[in-house]
């Protein structure tokens, strides 16, 4: 029924749109799960039904604040034995990496000059070519800079076509690369290697993976900020130099 609604709207004019939506709404109401049942048979039902279905599949950001997110992450880090100055340093690095937003995926919209400076795979490319690559979208961009044929991609453990895009940076620490996704899937039991977007759609997964990564990678030299920065930005050449 949802597909029918999408196909039909394209050919409707203003006079028959309301009638068409009533018919679609009635059909959807009859087949809707009980949790979405409604006595409303108005033209808004189809929109409301689709919105509820969509919202059940994505995180409701309105229920989280960055302060709440970081407090939850702090408690998780404490459970892993981290405390004091190291938690403060982790919060600072997390803010630098993702703006403390666990739902964020790495952004590819760099200026051409900045992109060339950041990514070794773009060295020698003209700014116009880099701009054209960027404008092709995130998948094309990350496949170029992190793909299996690039030096950075190889260091990240990307071995298959599509790995560069599939395993681009996500969540608190912008975890990047097949090797990292596979390793911390194994440690946490969360299948982020098969479904990387779990990191940006499931808060518990994001916290568990971040805590496991930091517990695994941190070395204590007595300089918390330096140690955390090294753990987050140095492993598997997670960021190009």
């Amino acid at each position: 029924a949802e597909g029918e609604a999408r196909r039909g709207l394209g050919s409707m004019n203003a006079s028959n749109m309301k009638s068409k939506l009533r018919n679609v709404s009635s059909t959807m109401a009859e087949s809707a799960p009980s949790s979405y049942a409604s006595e409303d048979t108005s033209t808004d039902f189809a929109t409301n039904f689709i919105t509820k279905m969509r919202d059940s599949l994505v995180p409701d950001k309105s229920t989280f604040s960055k302060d709440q997110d970081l407090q939850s992450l702090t408690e998780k880090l404490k459970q892993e034995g981290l405390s004091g100055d190291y938690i403060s340093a982790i919060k600072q690095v997390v803010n630098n990496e993702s703006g403390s937003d666990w739902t964020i995926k790495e952004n590819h919209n760099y200026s051409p000059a900045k992109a060339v400076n950041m990514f070794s795979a773009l060295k020698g490319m003209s700014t116009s070519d880099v701009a054209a690559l960027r404008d092709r979208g995130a998948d094309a961009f990350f496949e170029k800079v992190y793909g299996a044929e690039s030096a950075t991609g190889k260091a990240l453990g990307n071995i298959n076509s599509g790995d560069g895009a599939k395993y681009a940076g996500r969540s608190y620490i912008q975890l990047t690369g097949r090797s990292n996704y596979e390793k911390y899937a194994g440690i946490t039991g969360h299948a982020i290697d098969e479904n990387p977007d779990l990191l940006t759609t499931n808060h518990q997964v994001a916290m568990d993976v971040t805590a496991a990564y930091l517990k695994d990678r941190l070395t204590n030299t007595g300089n918390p900020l330096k140690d955390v920065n090294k753990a987050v930005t140095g492993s598997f050449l997670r960021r190009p130099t």
Side-chain angles (χ1 to χ4, degrees), residues 110-119 122-123 126-127 130-131 134:
Y110 299 99
S111 69
K114 183 176 181 179
V116 169
N117 186 57
M118 287 183 64
F119 299 100
L122 304 182
K123 301 297 184 185
S126 68
T127 55
V130 173
R134 177 198 62 198

Side-chain angles (χ1 to χ4, degrees), residues 202-213:
N202 187 309
H203 192 212
Q204 189 64 52
V205 172
M207 291 192 299
D208 289 350
V209 170
T210 299
Y213 181 98

Side-chain angles (χ1 to χ4, degrees), residues 26 38 64-65 89 93-95 99 107 123 140-141 147 165 174 180 186:
S26 296
S38 171
F64 292 92
S65 71
V93 173
V94 162
N95 189 60
N107 189 348
K123 301 297 184 185
F141 184 86
Q174 294 291 279
N180 279 325

Side-chain angles (χ1 to χ4, degrees), residues 117-196:
N117 186 57
M118 287 183 64
F119 299 100
S120 61
L122 304 182
K123 301 297 184 185
M125 290 180 64
S126 68
T127 55
S128 61
D129 285 343
V130 173
L133 173 65
R134 177 198 62 198
D135 293 345
R136 287 170 55 196
D139 284 357
F141 184 86
F142 290 125
E143 189 61 18
K144 175 66 175 178
V145 300
Y146 293 145
E149 299 303 316
S150 70
T152 299
K154 291 175 181 176
L156 289 163
N158 293 335
I159 56 176
N160 297 325
S161 176
D163 280 358
K166 182 176 182 179
Y167 299 112
R170 287 178 178 81
S171 201
Y172 284 120
I173 57 174
Q174 294 291 279
L175 190 75
T176 307
R178 173 184 279 273
S179 291
N180 279 325
Y181 280 78
E182 289 182 339
K183 179 173 184 179
Y184 297 102
I187 289 175
T188 64
H190 298 305
I192 59 171
D193 53 337
E194 298 175 1
N195 183 7

Side-chain angles (χ1 to χ4, degrees), residues 56-77 79 91 94 98-104 170-173 188 190 192 195-212:
S56 72
L57 300 175
V58 298
D60 180 3
K61 287 189 178 184
S62 67
T63 64
F64 292 92
S65 71
K66 287 183 180 180
D67 288 342
Q68 289 173 320
D69 287 347
L70 288 176
Q71 183 58 41
S72 297
L73 180 61
T74 295
E75 294 305 315
K76 180 64 182 178
L77 294 169
Q79 292 173 18
K91 288 181 178 179
V94 162
S98 62
S100 303
D101 184 350
W102 66 274
T103 69
I104 201 167
R170 287 178 178 81
S171 201
Y172 284 120
I173 57 174
T188 64
H190 298 305
I192 59 171
N195 183 7
D197 285 335
L198 284 172
L199 276 173
T200 55
T201 58
N202 187 309
H203 192 212
Q204 189 64 52
V205 172
M207 291 192 299
D208 289 350
V209 170
T210 299

